[in-house]
Amino acid sequence: ASNDSMAVVMVDCDHFKTINDRHGHFFGDLALKKLGSTMRRVLPVETLAGRFGGEEFIVLLPPHLVASAAEVAEALRLAVRAIHLDSGRRQVSLSISMGVAKSHPNDESVQDVLNRADRALLQAKGKGRDQVVVG
């Protein structure tokens, strides 16, 4: 891989609106915080991750992790499946859908990679959620 190669993972918390509607915004915020702390715990320390808006997160993987981007995403998916939050009424589990895209030499900007990751994320959601799709 060249020095400027990277991978982007778009992460979406599945059925987040339902979680918010059913359990309230305070609980929804708790779910997002737990998702964030799980990302910090599971993702390699040299990745950059942040909230991209709403219930979406974005993860940037450095060059030496590009080849294993799908495996990194799958490890995160499994860790999130293990989250069980107590809403006071019942246990709530979380799942995430992810789209992975790798940079190409012919990309004009980072936006090209983001667009591919976003399309892969939409495929993951369309195929039933709780999965990783590489674009």
Side-chain angles (χ1 to χ4, degrees), residues 1-10 46-48 52 58-70 99-117 134-135:
S2 68
N3 287 338
D4 59 353
S5 66
M6 68 167 189
V8 172
V9 183
M10 297 287 284
E46 60 276 48
T47 59
L48 289 173
F52 198 60
I58 188 166
V59 179
L60 301 176
L61 299 175
H64 71 280
L65 291 173
V66 168
S68 58
V100 178
K102 298 168 185 178
S103 60
H104 295 303
N106 56 349
D107 287 337
E108 291 182 21
S109 72
V110 174
Q111 191 62 49
D112 293 341
V113 188
L114 289 175
N115 290 343
R116 282 196 302 279
V134 178

Side-chain angles (χ1 to χ4, degrees), residues 43-56:
L43 292 172
V45 71
E46 60 276 48
T47 59
L48 289 173
R51 198 159 162 194
F52 198 60
E55 68 279 11
E56 279 196 346

Side-chain angles (χ1 to χ4, degrees), residues 3-133:
N3 287 338
D4 59 353
S5 66
M6 68 167 189
V8 172
V9 183
M10 297 287 284
V11 181
D12 185 83
C13 186
D14 294 331
H15 304 294
F16 183 71
K17 185 180 178 339
T18 304
I19 292 171
N20 251 348
D21 292 348
R22 199 172 284 165
H23 304 286
H25 291 280
F26 179 80
F27 187 79
D29 285 346
L30 184 74
L32 290 179
K33 286 177 184 163
K34 187 65 178 171
L35 178 53
S37 66
T38 301
M39 291 172 79
R40 249 194 321 275
R41 181 174 55 80
V42 173
L43 292 172
V45 71
E46 60 276 48
T47 59
L48 289 173
R51 198 159 162 194
F52 198 60
E55 68 279 11
E56 279 196 346
F57 292 80
I58 188 166
V59 179
L60 301 176
L61 299 175
H64 71 280
L65 291 173
V66 168
S68 58
E71 291 86 351
V72 169
E74 181 63 14
L76 178 59
R77 188 189 71 79
L78 292 172
V80 170
R81 288 295 296 151
I83 296 172
H84 297 287
L85 300 168
D86 189 350
S87 74
R89 293 194 294 276
R90 64 189 193 101
Q91 290 280 310
V92 177
S93 59
L94 299 178
S95 69
I96 52 177
S97 298
M98 286 174 282
V100 178
K102 298 168 185 178
S103 60
H104 295 303
N106 56 349
D107 287 337
E108 291 182 21
S109 72
V110 174
Q111 191 62 49
D112 293 341
V113 188
L114 289 175
N115 290 343
R116 282 196 302 279
D118 201 43
R119 284 195 298 273
L121 171 60
L122 287 173
Q123 285 182 339
K125 291 165 75 167
K127 287 164 61 174
R129 297 184 168 86
D130 189 24
Q131 59 189 282
V132 177
V133 171

